[in-house]
């Protein structure tokens, strides 16, 4: 019997997320698990967000505010823009889908890098859209090569900046060059899921292109704000693009608790400072420990580090799992001898280094 499923769906390799803590506990009978696999915030959620959720919980008999009125106004205040510049999503994952649905016709193409965030490719394929990938150069997006690859069919370009899973970034100079003489019939999406961890002076100010270029900037509350489990992200663009994207958006896509928590988290400066300080300090600790172990790694401006473990990364992932440490193997990304490790608390990072030493 034929499977009745569309061919493009059968051709998709599903996204494999980091293993959940509870699942690993259950399967391996372990109690104390350290999860460094999904680039989450190791300090927990923003406390202000938790309090906001407690206040909002008695309202969940009602549908959420489909227009995200207060949330968009809070974003507008924070970014000194207008509410019309924002669209909110059930995680930025959903926004990738909405962007593709809104802008890419059947015979048009999407461009991105190889290796980058896998969802660009998966969501393109779910929507039966062609995606072309351009190899990284020294683990970085090669914007010159991507620009050369643009043709009449190109409609969208996804740039993960910083890039997941390498942790590298394209500079303000590179972005400026990229936008110079860029055709006007395509849209560039800058996915800045990790921008708040960046400690580099030449990281681009993408908002400066908002009114002059066809650009959509995506950000998320899953990383620096510690709200991955709530699923909330947003995109910034010109009102014309936002209105069009709103047509492809499910009516109640951001739930009541997520909206309340995100508004509160935006103002939680203390939590954000602590998060960033922890990540930068612990990144130095991990670099130092990896240097001592002679394990090569890519310098990262995000909250994770891609490292070359010199043998099958999947085997390293499995061996570490037995000791209760969940990291991410890079098989799906085509980086066989690599693992990606999220920067955790000091205790978590020490445990990771200890187990790595033991198994290598
Ligand atoms: C580059 C990048 N973009 C988007 C996302 C999705 O984030 P969200 O949790 O907002 O869907 C991730 C998550 O890992 C990511 O790494």
């Amino acid at each position: 019997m034929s499977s009745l499923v569309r061919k493009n769906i059968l051709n998709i390799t599903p996204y494999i997320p980091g293993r959940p803590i509870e699942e690993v506990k259950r399967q391996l009978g372990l109690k104390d698990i350290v999860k460094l696999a999904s680039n989450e915030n190791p300090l927990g959620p923003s406390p202000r967000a938790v309090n906001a959720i407690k206040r909002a919980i008695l309202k969940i008999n009602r549908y959420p505010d489909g227009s995200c009125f207060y949330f968009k106004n809070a974003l507008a205040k924070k970014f000194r823009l207008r509410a019309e510049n924002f669209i909110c999503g059930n995680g930025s994952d959903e926004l990738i889908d909405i962007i593709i649905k809104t802008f890419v016709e059947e015979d048009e193409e999407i461009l991105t890098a190889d290796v980058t965030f896998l969802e660009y490719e998966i969501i393109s394929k779910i929507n039966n859209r062609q995606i072309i990938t351009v190899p990284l150069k020294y683990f970085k997006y090669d914007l010159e090569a991507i620009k050369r690859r643009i043709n009449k069919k190109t409609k969208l370009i996804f740039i993960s900046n910083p890039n997941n899973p390498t942790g590298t970034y394209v500079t303000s100079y590179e972005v400026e060059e990229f936008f110079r003489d860029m055709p006007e019939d395509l849209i560039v999406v800058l996915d800045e899921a990790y921008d708040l961890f960046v400690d580099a002076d030449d990281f681009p100010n993408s908002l400066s292109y908002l009114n002059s270029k066809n650009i959509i900037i995506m950000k998320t509350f899953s990383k620096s704000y510690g709200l991955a489990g709530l699923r909330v992200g947003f995109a910034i663009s010109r009102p014309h693009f936002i209105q069009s994207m709103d047509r492809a958006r499910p009516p109640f896509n951001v739930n009541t608790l997520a909206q309340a928590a995100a508004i509160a988290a935006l103002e939680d400066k203390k939590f954000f400072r602590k998060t960033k300080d922890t990540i930068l300090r612990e990144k130095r600790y991990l670099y130092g420990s990896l240097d001592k172990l002679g394990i090569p790694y890519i310098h990262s401006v995000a909250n994770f580090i891609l490292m070359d473990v010199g043998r099958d990364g999947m085997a390293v992932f499995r061996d570490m799992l037995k000791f209760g440490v969940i990291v991410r193997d890079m098989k799906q990304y085509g980086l066989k001898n690599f693992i990606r490790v999220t920067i955790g608390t000091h205790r978590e990072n020490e445990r990771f280094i200890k187990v790595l030493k033991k198994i290598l």
Side-chain angles (χ1 to χ4, degrees):
M1 198 179 76
S2 76
S3 75
L4 303 180
V5 178
R6 284 165 62 210
K7 274 203 254 0
N8 57 313
I9 299 294
L10 293 173
N11 288 335
I12 288 164
T13 312
Y15 183 77
I16 306 170
R19 293 282 298 275
I21 293 177
E22 290 309 319
E23 183 185 298
V24 174
K25 275 188 183 167
R26 223 169 32 241
Q27 287 180 353
L28 299 179
L30 296 170
K31 281 206 186 85
D32 188 16
I33 306 283
V34 168
K35 185 184 176 201
L36 303 173
S38 301
N39 306 338
E40 295 147 338
N41 191 319
L43 302 182
S46 141
R48 280 187 176 224
V50 173
N51 284 332
I53 289 172
K54 285 182 190 158
R55 288 193 297 273
I57 202 146
L58 290 174
K59 297 182 192 154
I60 59 169
N61 57 315
R62 304 286 177 198
Y63 282 98
D65 170 8
S67 71
C68 290
F69 179 84
Y70 293 108
F71 183 17
K72 284 201 235 172
N73 276 289
L75 289 167
K77 192 170 151 219
K78 181 93 185 165
F79 288 90
R80 300 199 177 139
L81 292 168
R82 290 188 291 143
E84 292 76 25
N85 289 114
F86 295 89
I87 180 170
C88 306
N90 191 256
S92 40
D93 277 348
E94 185 188 47
L95 294 167
I96 298 170
D97 187 53
I98 291 175
I99 290 168
I100 293 172
K101 284 194 165 83
T102 306
F103 297 107
V104 190
E105 298 277 11
E106 226 165 289
D107 57 350
E108 292 178 326
E109 292 176 357
I110 299 164
L111 264 182
T112 192
D114 176 27
V115 184
T116 190
F117 186 45
L118 288 171
E119 284 294 311
Y120 307 143
E121 183 165 345
I122 294 172
I123 300 172
S124 298
K125 287 183 173 167
I126 293 172
N127 284 293
N128 215 2
R129 293 296 179 265
Q130 178 86 6
I131 181 156
I132 314 281
T133 58
V134 177
L136 299 179
K137 193 173 175 184
Y138 305 120
F139 290 94
K140 257 183 71 167
Y141 262 69
D142 184 351
L143 292 188
E144 283 179 18
I146 291 180
K147 200 167 171 182
R148 283 197 299 272
R149 195 64 186 71
I150 293 172
N151 62 35
K152 282 200 196 83
K153 289 185 174 176
T154 309
K155 186 60 166 289
L156 269 187
I157 304 178
F158 280 105
I159 300 171
S160 170
N161 200 34
N163 185 30
N164 177 11
T166 57
T168 52
Y169 68 104
V170 288
T171 63
S172 48
Y173 174 76
E174 287 165 311
V175 169
E176 182 70 27
E177 286 301 305
F178 184 64
F179 275 130
R180 195 187 301 279
D181 304 324
M182 174 67 66
E184 283 177 6
D185 52 359
L186 60 81
I187 298 169
V188 176
V189 181
L190 283 174
D191 180 352
E192 298 186 342
Y194 302 96
D195 65 333
L196 294 180
F197 297 116
V198 174
D199 56 338
D201 293 339
D202 57 353
F203 189 77
N205 173 11
S206 52
L207 285 172
S208 66
Y209 296 100
L210 198 60
N211 294 319
S212 58
K213 303 289 171 195
N214 293 337
I215 185 177
I216 300 173
I217 302 157
M218 295 201 308
K219 297 181 190 270
T220 180
F221 281 79
S222 298
K223 314 293 175 184
S224 23
Y225 294 109
L227 301 179
L230 278 182
R231 314 302 304 121
V232 51
F234 61 99
I236 311 173
S237 191
R238 291 209 296 273
H240 167 67
F241 288 152
I242 296 289
Q243 283 158 17
S244 310
M245 286 160 70
D246 254 331
R247 295 174 173 219
R249 180 180 65 80
F252 303 111
N253 61 330
V254 184
N255 72 70
T256 304
L257 303 183
Q259 291 186 37
I263 292 169
L266 267 183
E267 293 308 317
D268 202 341
K269 292 199 181 89
K270 195 172 150 203
F271 176 75
F272 171 66
R273 196 45 22 238
K274 196 170 161 201
T275 298
K276 188 159 178 182
D277 287 350
T278 304
I279 298 304
L280 296 183
R281 190 184 61 240
E282 288 305 311
K283 188 160 65 177
R284 286 194 295 275
Y285 165 75
L286 284 170
Y287 283 172
S289 308
L290 293 169
D291 285 340
K292 277 188 212 143
L293 291 173
I295 295 172
Y297 55 88
I298 312 295
H299 275 265
S300 169
V301 291
N303 67 335
F304 52 84
I305 303 173
L306 182 69
M307 53 193 83
D308 180 352
V309 283
R311 63 185 180 94
D312 184 14
M314 182 64 114
V316 172
F317 157 76
R318 282 201 209 100
D319 288 347
M320 296 204 87
L321 203 59
K322 288 181 205 145
F323 292 97
V325 177
I326 315 173
V327 297
R328 193 69 162 266
D329 77 270
M330 288 285 108
K331 188 168 168 233
Q332 232 195 341
Y333 291 82
L335 297 169
K336 195 168 169 288
N337 285 356
F338 286 77
I339 58 170
R340 191 197 66 201
V341 180
T342 304
I343 301 170
T345 60
H346 191 63
R347 186 191 69 83
E348 292 173 329
N349 298 331
E350 270 186 336
R351 172 114 169 255
F352 160 72
I353 291 292
K354 203 170 139 199
V355 172
L356 191 64
K357 246 187 223 165
K358 200 178 300 194
I359 64 155
L360 282 184

